[in-house]
Amino acid sequence: MSVVLRNAQRAVPVRRAPLRRAVCALRTALGASRFDVGLVCASNALMQRLNSAYRHCPEPTDVLSFPFHQVVAGELPRPFCRGEYNLGDIFLGVEYIHQQCRETGEDFDDVLTVTAAHGLCHLLGYRHDTKPEWEQMYQKEAQILEELNRLTGSRLRPLTAGLF
């Protein structure tokens, strides 16, 4: 199946092909390569509108995930028909992420990939509202990033190491 990537902002240049390849590899590491994923690179303004509308937090953010299926963390959706082979959509706040990277000195493309991994985990039911949920999600992110690192020679790690 496919990863559909749309760049809906103009503030930050995004290398779409490497990001799409990384998301395809991460989807495979999750065992979800049969499922479509939508990926939108968004501006601060769009992220702020979405965050306000769906999370009642009127600020831009780095990632928002909108799952197609409601699943328990660690389980794949069980589609009934071909049209349901969809994990959902991930909105990456690339302008927000770019600003954070400028402040921290981290590599933008690496952080974008790790943030996409975080979004994919959310599409598959992982959350981080409590410490046990965070531990489960962190472990899954580390696992799929380790697989991506093995394939690409990179050294990516989850960004939420110090959340709890």
Side-chain angles (χ1 to χ4, degrees):
M1 297 305 233
S2 66
V3 172
V4 177
L5 194 153
R6 178 171 175 245
N7 189 3
Q9 57 82 48
R10 295 197 186 332
V12 179
V14 176
R15 298 176 55 222
R16 294 186 306 189
L19 180 58
R20 182 182 288 113
R21 281 192 302 272
V23 171
C24 285
L26 291 164
R27 204 176 42 154
T28 298
L30 284 164
S33 59
R34 297 180 312 165
F35 292 86
D36 293 328
V37 173
L39 197 61
V40 178
C41 296
S43 66
N44 277 348
L46 177 55
M47 292 303 284
Q48 182 173 343
R49 283 196 309 274
L50 292 171
N51 207 17
S52 183
Y54 293 99
R55 297 182 64 233
H56 309 291
C57 184
E59 301 170 358
T61 189
D62 58 350
V63 63
L64 292 168
S65 296
F66 298 94
F68 187 83
H69 301 274
Q70 296 300 319
V71 295
V72 174
E75 292 185 10
L76 288 176
R78 294 190 178 119
F80 292 108
C81 63
R82 184 173 174 89
E84 292 183 359
Y85 277 87
N86 184 352
L87 291 180
D89 297 316
I90 301 168
F91 285 74
L92 294 173
V94 295
E95 191 174 355
Y96 182 91
I97 293 167
H98 189 260
Q99 290 168 344
Q100 296 294 318
C101 288
R102 284 196 347 231
E103 292 172 13
T104 63
E106 295 182 77
D107 182 81
F108 172 70
D109 292 319
D110 287 350
V111 173
L112 207 55
T113 298
V114 172
T115 306
H118 186 84
L120 277 169
C121 287
H122 277 310
L123 292 181
L124 290 173
Y126 290 93
R127 302 183 54 85
H128 48 74
D129 298 327
T130 66
K131 186 172 182 177
E133 287 175 340
W134 170 80
E135 288 172 344
Q136 182 184 33
M137 185 167 181
Y138 183 85
Q139 184 176 41
K140 180 53 74 173
E141 283 182 56
Q143 175 192 342
I144 64 172
L145 288 170
E146 187 175 304
E147 176 63 16
L148 182 64
N149 290 340
R150 188 185 65 73
L151 293 171
T152 63
S154 52
R155 306 179 112 210
L156 304 178
R157 294 187 350 235
L159 298 175
T160 58
L163 191 59
F164 278 94

